[in-house]
Structure formats: C-alpha cells, structure tokens
C-alpha cells in the first residue's frame, strides 16, 4: 500500500478530519482511495474505536474492496474488514470497517438515525449520483447537524464538482490527490452508423487482442449486448484466451471469476457493463474496448413508467473507462466513436434523482419523518412534480396519510427495502406466491427467447421456478437468474415469516393487481389483444397471444413509450377478483 499515489494526500486528509466534521477527497482512478483511505484512518484519535462505514454503489465493488483491505491486513473478510450487500453479509464481532451497498445503508440509517457506534461515513464514488446515494448523503448530513456533531463525513470521487459537495458539508476542505496513471493511448475508430454495435465491438476486440498483449476489458451497455458479443467471440479467440462476463446480476462466484488474475500463460476478455467503470482493478487488463454507450433509468411522469434508456457515455464515464487500461501498466483504449464525437459528449451524467421513479425516495422520506423534502440538505433537490406524483402513489397504496405522514402499513413497507409497489403486494399477499412474484419482478427475466418469440404470461415464470424442466415454447431458462430468483424469494419468506407452502400460479393476477392497481386492464370491445388500463392508458399484446383472450389483465411491465404500450409481463384476473380486492374504492 505504501506505493499508492493516495498516500501523499493522507496527511492533509487526516488533518482535515481531525479539525472538522467533513472532507472531500478528489483522486483519479488508480490512486488507491477506496482501499487505502479507510485503513489509514482506522487508528485516528477522533474515531476512538468506533466503526467506519463506507457506502459503495455496487455489490461487486463492495466485496472486492473489502477483500483487498482484508488481504492488506493479512486477514480474512469478516475480521477487521467486512461487507454487507444484498443477500450476502460478511461481518464479525471485531469488524471495524464495513463496506455497505447504498440500499442496505439506508435500511441501517432508518433503523438508527444517530448511527450509534459509527465514527465515520465514507461515500465512495459519489460522482455516480445514484438516487439512494444522494438520499443517504442528505440524511447523514441532517443527522450530523441535528444528532451527531462528532460524526465525520468523507465524500470521495474521481470526477466530481468538489466545491458543491464541500459547500453542502459545511464548507469542508477539499483534498486532491495527483494520482498515478500509466500512459494510455486512445485509438478512436469511427464506426459505420449502419453496423450493429455487437458486430463492431466483437471485431474490434479481436483486432485488439491480435495487436496488443495483456487482457481486455470491453464495455457494453447491457446484458443483451454482452450475450451477443459473447456469441460472436466464443469460437474466434486464441486458445490461451478466456472469455468472461461481468454484470450486477451475476452470482458472487461468477463476478469473482471475472476480477481475479488469469492463470499464468493465459489472458482474458471481460465483457462488462458500467459496473466495471469504478472501484475495481481487474488484474492483467491493459486493453479497453469502449462501445460508447450506457443504460440509465428514465421515468416518465406522463405514463408513470420507468424504463432503461441506452445513451451515449459522458466524457467523465469515457475517462473512467479509459483509465482502466492504465491502472497497472501502460495500456491502450479503443473508443468506438470519432474524436469529433468525443468533443461533443456531455461532461457529466444527469443525477438519477432528476430522472428516476421517486416512489422509493418518497417512502424513505416519509419513514424519516421529512414532510418538507426541500428542507433537507440536497446536492440536487428532487423535482417537485415528480415527488408529488410519487406521493400520490403512496397514498393510493396506503403508505402515507393525506398529510404526508407515514402509516403503520407504510413503515412496514419501508422496512422491506423493496419498491413500494412490491412491498405493498408482499404485505397484503403475505404468502409464498407473493414472495416469488416479488423476486421475479425484482430480477431480470429468467427466460431467454429466440428472435421473434415472446411470452408475456407471468404465470409461466412462476411455473418455471417451481419446475425448471418444464419447457416454455421458444425459450430457454437462464440458470443464474433462476438461482437468484429462488434465493431472493427465500429471503422474502424469511423476512415475512412465510412458510414454504404450495404455490398456485393461478393467483398471480390478483397479486399483481395489488402492486399495480393503475395497470388493471380490460380488453377493448372487438379487439385482438388491445386493452384499456385503469390509469387511463392503453396496452397491447402481440396478435394471437393467448393472453389476449382474457377479459381482464393485471400488467406488471409494459412499454411506456407508446400510446398503447407493449405488454411485457402480465397475468389474468377476474371481475370478481377486482371487486374483492378493491371493494372500498368501488363502493
């Protein structure tokens, strides 16, 4: 650790935190801030034996950072250093540094606003500006001002407006580390606009492997693109080259396989989403192939739907990706766009709080007791109109009262850590099927379809989980997602104390209607699969789809971009179900 560039900035950082309640640390990729800073601060007098909690936006980065720090100390994870991520926790009685993902940190903060036993909260990679990270920063800052003047806050980033964060933290000092970046040669390859992204990425990767030594990190916008590039490369690589994916929904073992060093005499190609932009050092990588796109959530107040949108990378993201090639030695980056396009890229991404579904944030604010959201210390305040729409949904679900105060039901919902719609369904359904549906709707689709095939019937996913060998026409089962769904369902059953009971998928529609009362759909007269939704929009199934014969549907997922959105997932229900579930509204 002694040779890390961040070491030169540590004296100033220690002095700033000894004298005041907060600091901002700006350090470029490769400086070592994620793993060196927590260890360096562990013995400070002001910490007085209390814990350091470091919020990390991504699960794979949280686990990797904890392992690297534990290795530095010559210990196993769960000793001095541990981590908490969804469905996986490694902490012990002697743990003093906890690396925690943002959702779990929010649960902890809501349960104990004073953060008893914690002396320092570190926000790593704050520039990512995720919704939960922004909310956590606002709540921790308020807790510091109102409850814990002795609590320290450290914001760390590679690309961030340090002045704005410093002002939020009470004019905190800003410490900068020069960092260390080996030279990275950038080769811009202006792609044919008619070519498919996966084709040009695959051919560029083959070229890079032929031209350069070392392993390669290839950035793609999502899982579908990773699969298609994987198909194109699988039989077209040298015999000494391994091909591995890296994205958030992989199991911990599969993610670890992508990160750990290749065996002697072998190299690898890691096909990754933006998960690999920050906080991770993948040993052996000195080649980056950047497809130039990323996926971001976009919420439409008109439709009430959130979709992932594919957009151009920002200059900050492109720089982060490029920097992956120069972490350990000189490298090369192949950017699949022109130098002119590079100059036109946005400097930074839009904070998620401005474009995401704010229902989860509204529920967290209600649980915190913040009826006036604008009174909180935000880096970027939530848009008032989107926040009011979110609160309208919470009132509809019975989570808050007319004055915005949280109800008993709402507090139970907040404790589950699921989207408010799903939490409401879990609490009202309280059964094994509700837990399974929550898991299915929280993971990506476990069915992989051949081109031109699609099955929007959610009941068939339930049946697959119960019997993975039961075929679905035109589809195969993604075994990794299937395992994740089963594990998540078990966790929901444990939290709700639901016994492992027999499941009847015929009740799927009733439960989906609880989560999405605004997406109860009735078939239009004399139509083939066209529906009118209770929320005022329209929806459509592919012509000839068996679900199109149903009079009533409850829709869990549909396209929000069209007047009649395409139904991706739904299940039938009856008029009797509706009368029973919503009798109070129909009276």
């Amino acid at each position: 650790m002694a040779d890390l560039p961040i070491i030169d900035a540590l004296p100033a950082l220690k002095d700033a935190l000894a004298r005041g309640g907060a600091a901002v640390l700006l350090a470029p990729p490769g400086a070592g801030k994620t793993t060196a800073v927590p260890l360096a601060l562990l013995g400070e007098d002001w910490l007085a034996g209390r814990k350091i909690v470091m919020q990390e936006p991504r699960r794979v980065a949280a686990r990797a950072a904890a392992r690297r720090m534990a290795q530095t100390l010559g210990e196993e994870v769960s000793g001095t250093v541990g981590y908490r991520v969804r469905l996986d926790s490694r902490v012990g009685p002697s743990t003093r540094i906890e690396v925690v993902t943002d959702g779990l940190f929010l649960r902890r903060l809501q349960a104990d606003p004073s953060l008893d036993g914690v002396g320092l909260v570190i926000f790593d990679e704050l520039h990512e500006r995720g919704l939960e990270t922004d909310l956590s920063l606002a709540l921790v800052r308020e807790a510091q001002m109102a409850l814990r003047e002795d609590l320290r806050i450290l914001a760390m980033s590679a690309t961030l407006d340090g002045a704005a964060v410093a002002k939020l933290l009470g004019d905190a000092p800003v410490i900068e580390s020069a960092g260390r970046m080996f030279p990275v040669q950038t080769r811009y390859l202006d792609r044919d606009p008619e070519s498919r992204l996966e084709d040009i990425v695959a051919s560029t990767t083959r070229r890079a492997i032929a031209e350069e030594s070392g392993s390669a990190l290839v950035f793609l916008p999502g899982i579908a693109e990773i699969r298609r590039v994987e198909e194109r490369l699988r039989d077209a690589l040298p015999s000494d080259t391994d091909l591995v994916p890296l994205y958030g929904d992989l199991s911990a073992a599969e993610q670890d396989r992508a990160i750990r060093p290749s065996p002697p005499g072998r190299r690898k190609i890691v096909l990754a989403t933006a998960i690999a932009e920050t906080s991770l050092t993948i040993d052996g990588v000195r080649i980056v192939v950047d497809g130039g796109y990323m996926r971001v959530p976009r919420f439409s107040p008109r439709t009430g739907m959130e979709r992932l949108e594919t957009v151009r990378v920002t200059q900050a993201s492109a720089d982060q990706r490029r920097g992956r090639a120069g972490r350990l030695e000189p490298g090369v980056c192949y950017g699949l766009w022109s130098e002119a396009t590079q100059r036109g890229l946005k400097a930074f991404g839009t904070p998620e709080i401005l474009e995401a579904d704010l229902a989860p944030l509204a529920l967290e604010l209600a649980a915190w007791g913040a009826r006036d959201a604008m009174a909180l210390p935000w880096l970027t305040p939530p848009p008032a109109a989107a926040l009011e729409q979110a609160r309208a949904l919470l009132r509809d679900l019975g989570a808050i009262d007319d004055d915005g105060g949280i109800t008993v039901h709402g507090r139970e919902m907040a404790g589950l850590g699921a989207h408010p719609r799903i939490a409401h369904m879990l609490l009202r359904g309280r059964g094994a099927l509700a837990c399974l549906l929550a898991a299915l709707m929280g993971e990506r689709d476990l069915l992989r379809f051949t081109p031109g095939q699609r099955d929007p019937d959610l009941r068939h996913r339930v049946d697959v989980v119960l019997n993975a060998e039961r075929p679905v026409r035109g589809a195969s089962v993604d075994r990794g997602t299937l395992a994740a769904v089963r594990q998540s369902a078990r966790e929901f059953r444990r939290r709700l104390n639901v016994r492992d009971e027999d499941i009847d998928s015929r009740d799927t529609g009733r439960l989906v209607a609880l989560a999405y009362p605004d997406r109860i759909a009735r078939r239009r007269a004399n139509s083939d699969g066209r529906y009118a939704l209770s929320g005022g929009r329209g929806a459509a199934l592919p012509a000839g789809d068996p679900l199109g014969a149903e009079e009533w549907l409850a829709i869990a997922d549909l396209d929000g971009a069209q007047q009649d959105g395409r139904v991706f997932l739904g299940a039938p229900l009856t008029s009797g179900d509706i009368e029973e579930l919503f009798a109070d509204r129909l009276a």
Side-chain angles (χ1 to χ4, degrees):
M1 192 174 81
D3 64 340
L4 289 173
I6 198 68
I7 299 302
D8 293 339
L10 290 178
L13 177 61
K14 290 180 178 182
D15 181 63
L17 290 173
R19 290 186 292 106
V24 178
L25 176 61
L26 302 180
K33 60 184 180 300
T34 298
T35 53
V37 168
L39 293 175
L41 297 176
L42 201 54
E44 292 298 286
D45 292 340
W46 51 263
L47 197 59
R50 290 171 298 181
K51 288 187 176 184
I52 295 172
V53 175
M54 182 164 70
Q55 180 177 291
E56 196 69 49
R58 305 175 190 277
R59 284 179 286 172
V60 61
R63 285 193 298 262
R67 279 197 297 266
R68 185 65 65 99
M69 284 188 279
Q71 289 170 359
T72 300
L73 296 174
E75 299 178 357
E76 296 293 325
V77 174
S78 77
T80 303
V81 184
Y83 66 80
R84 297 182 192 270
V85 303
R86 187 170 71 93
L87 302 178
D88 187 12
S89 177
R90 304 286 175 87
V91 297
S94 62
T95 298
R96 292 196 56 218
I97 300 174
E98 290 187 22
V99 190
V100 185
T101 46
D102 43 18
L104 290 186
F105 180 69
L106 267 176
R107 301 274 64 74
R108 179 176 189 160
L109 188 58
Q110 291 282 17
D112 178 18
S114 66
L115 291 175
D116 185 44
V118 176
L120 170 66
V121 177
I122 300 175
F123 291 89
D124 194 25
E125 309 298 355
L126 188 60
H127 66 274
E128 294 197 13
R129 299 298 306 278
L131 183 65
E132 290 178 316
T133 302
D134 270 20
L135 175 59
S136 295
L137 179 61
L139 299 187
V140 170
R141 175 60 175 150
E142 183 177 68
Q144 182 192 50
M145 293 187 293
L147 302 172
R148 286 282 313 277
E149 290 186 359
D150 63 321
L151 180 67
R152 264 66 168 187
I153 301 173
L154 173 59
M156 303 198 305
S157 177
T159 56
L160 186 69
D161 181 357
V165 182
K167 182 178 179 181
L168 178 77
L169 297 177
D171 294 321
V174 179
I175 295 96
E176 296 192 43
S177 169
R180 177 190 64 201
M181 174 73 72
F182 288 99
V184 177
Q185 180 188 5
T186 303
R187 299 171 185 171
Y188 292 105
L189 306 174
D190 194 10
R191 53 176 284 219
D192 180 354
E194 300 299 318
S195 64
R196 292 177 64 91
L197 177 64
E198 49 267 37
D199 290 334
I200 189 66
V201 168
S203 63
T204 303
T205 302
R206 289 194 297 269
R207 168 184 164 180
I209 288 293
E211 291 178 346
E212 301 290 335
S213 62
S215 293
L217 177 58
V218 181
F219 284 99
L220 291 155
I223 298 169
E225 291 83 0
I226 286 176
R227 288 173 177 163
R228 290 194 285 266
V229 172
E230 193 173 13
E231 290 171 358
R232 287 159 173 76
L233 291 178
R234 188 175 295 119
D235 298 321
L237 295 175
S239 59
D240 66 345
T241 305
D242 300 315
L243 185 63
V244 291
L246 178 60
Y247 50 86
D249 288 339
L250 286 174
S251 69
E254 291 171 307
Q255 290 176 349
D256 292 346
R257 178 178 172 232
I259 296 170
R260 65 174 173 253
S262 295
R266 299 197 65 79
R267 61 202 301 207
K268 65 182 171 184
I269 299 171
V270 180
L271 305 178
T273 61
I275 192 174
E277 273 186 20
T278 57
S279 298
L280 288 176
T281 296
I282 302 177
D283 290 315
V285 166
R286 60 169 303 275
I287 305 166
V288 164
V289 176
D290 187 357
Y293 291 90
M294 58 186 178
R295 291 229 165 87
V296 296
R298 294 277 168 82
F299 180 73
S300 168
R302 179 182 67 83
T303 65
M305 294 287 298
E306 184 176 73
R307 308 297 305 176
L308 287 175
E309 217 171 273
T310 303
V311 299
R312 276 278 189 190
V313 294
T314 63
Q315 290 187 16
S317 288
D319 288 344
Q320 288 274 9
R321 295 177 178 192
R322 178 178 177 275
R324 301 293 100 181
R327 293 292 294 267
L328 302 175
E329 60 181 307
V332 60
C333 174
Y334 295 77
L336 302 187
W337 60 90
S338 66
E339 290 190 67
T341 299
Q342 169 69 22
R343 291 190 292 271
L345 295 177
K346 289 174 57 178
F348 296 97
T350 302
E352 191 178 355
I353 199 169
L354 296 179
E355 297 182 331
D357 177 4
L358 296 187
L361 178 140
L363 183 59
E364 295 289 351
L365 291 177
W368 187 256
R371 300 196 184 205
D372 180 8
M374 299 308 160
L376 288 172
W378 297 102
L379 263 181
T380 303
L387 185 58
E388 181 49 43
Q389 183 174 2
R391 284 173 168 159
L393 171 64
L394 296 185
R395 285 191 290 270
D396 198 33
L397 298 177
I400 60 175
D401 58 29
D402 291 341
D403 295 326
I406 194 163
T407 63
V408 173
H409 180 56
R411 196 162 293 282
E412 284 189 279
M413 289 168 58
L416 288 175
H419 189 282
R421 291 182 182 272
I422 302 304
H424 174 71
M425 178 195 72
L426 283 165
L427 293 169
R428 289 290 186 255
R430 283 199 182 272
L433 177 58
C435 295
L436 177 50
L437 289 173
L440 280 166
M441 291 188 282
E443 301 285 346
R444 60 193 172 90
D445 196 350
L446 56 77
L447 296 181
R448 293 187 185 181
F449 291 92
T450 55
Q453 296 291 322
R454 186 71 194 164
D455 180 359
D457 197 328
L458 186 54
R459 296 172 301 176
H460 295 164
R461 277 79 173 170
V462 174
D463 293 337
V464 165
V465 175
L466 300 178
N467 180 6
E469 306 311 317
R470 182 177 297 174
V472 174
R473 185 184 298 275
S476 60
V477 178
D478 184 320
R479 297 289 168 166
T481 305
L482 175 63
V485 166
R486 286 173 169 166
Q487 184 181 10
S488 182
R490 284 194 297 270
E491 178 63 16
F492 281 127
R493 289 201 306 270
R494 183 192 65 79
R495 282 196 258 171
L496 290 167
N497 197 26
V498 171
R499 61 189 177 88
D500 190 6
E501 61 194 7
D502 290 337
I503 291 176
D504 187 344
S505 63
R506 289 176 296 182
D507 289 331
T508 297
R510 289 170 53 87
L511 292 168
V512 172
L514 287 172
Y516 299 96
D518 50 334
R519 297 187 205 162
I520 295 173
R522 187 173 192 178
R523 194 179 64 217
R524 300 183 191 273
N526 303 316
S527 71
D528 181 13
R530 300 177 72 84
Y531 288 79
L533 273 63
S534 53
R537 298 185 61 234
L541 289 159
D545 190 285
L547 273 184
E550 300 288 345
E551 180 73 10
W552 294 92
L553 292 179
I555 299 174
D557 191 15
L558 78 158
D559 186 351
Q562 304 174 24
Q563 183 61 35
D564 278 353
R566 289 181 300 157
V567 177
F568 295 132
L569 286 177
L573 72 164
T574 67
S575 57
D577 292 331
I578 297 169
E579 291 171 4
E580 180 183 341
L581 293 171
F582 304 104
D584 56 331
R585 304 187 196 186
L586 300 175

